[in-house]
Amino acid sequence: MTMPRLNRSLVLEARERVPDGHGGVRSGWRALGSLWGQLKAGAARETGLGGLPGTRVQWRITVRGSPEGSLARPVAGQRFAMGARRFRIVAVAEADVEGRYLLCHASEEEVRT
């Protein structure tokens, strides 16, 4: 396996429920930590998001491996943040036999206004 170039700083975020101040809860995102990753774009397509035109790009994001159950190990349902961009993680697998790297399949959506 060729060594990936982990040259992008990513913030791993997990969904959490937070009080809304009125006795209910709302969904929010909590930062778990920063990881360095390599991003490779995949397929892209035009979509309609909320009635507005948009695009969806599939990404393969490689990060360093970490043990099962570690907060530093991404799982499906979490997301990466990079500035204003968000990458929803849909699946995670070991990128190599030794588990030194993880391959995160992610989706980025953008609405055009």
Side-chain angles (χ1 to χ4, degrees):
M1 173 182 179
T2 305
M3 296 285 287
R5 291 192 62 218
L6 306 180
N7 60 354
R8 300 290 183 110
S9 180
L10 304 164
V11 176
L12 180 61
E13 298 179 335
R15 188 176 294 278
E16 71 175 355
R17 296 166 52 103
V18 294
D20 65 3
H22 300 286
V25 294
R26 63 179 173 80
S27 184
W29 291 92
R30 176 176 49 102
L32 300 177
S34 296
L35 300 171
W36 287 94
Q38 173 180 289
L39 280 72
K40 289 189 178 181
R45 66 184 179 103
E46 214 169 350
T47 63
L49 301 168
L52 297 171
T55 57
R56 176 176 293 145
V57 179
Q58 302 301 316
W59 289 89
R60 292 179 16 189
I61 301 174
T62 304
V63 297
R64 289 198 192 287
S66 52
E68 295 269 348
S70 167
L71 288 179
R73 185 183 177 100
V75 297
Q78 294 178 335
R79 72 182 186 183
F80 288 117
M82 185 175 71
R85 299 171 70 183
R86 301 293 181 264
F87 305 89
R88 183 175 53 87
I89 301 169
V90 295
V92 179
E94 281 77 17
D96 61 322
V97 185
E98 293 85 17
R100 292 176 296 173
Y101 298 98
L102 298 173
L103 180 59
C104 303
H105 297 271
S107 177
E108 178 186 28
E109 295 178 347
E110 179 184 354
V111 175
R112 292 190 305 266
T113 55

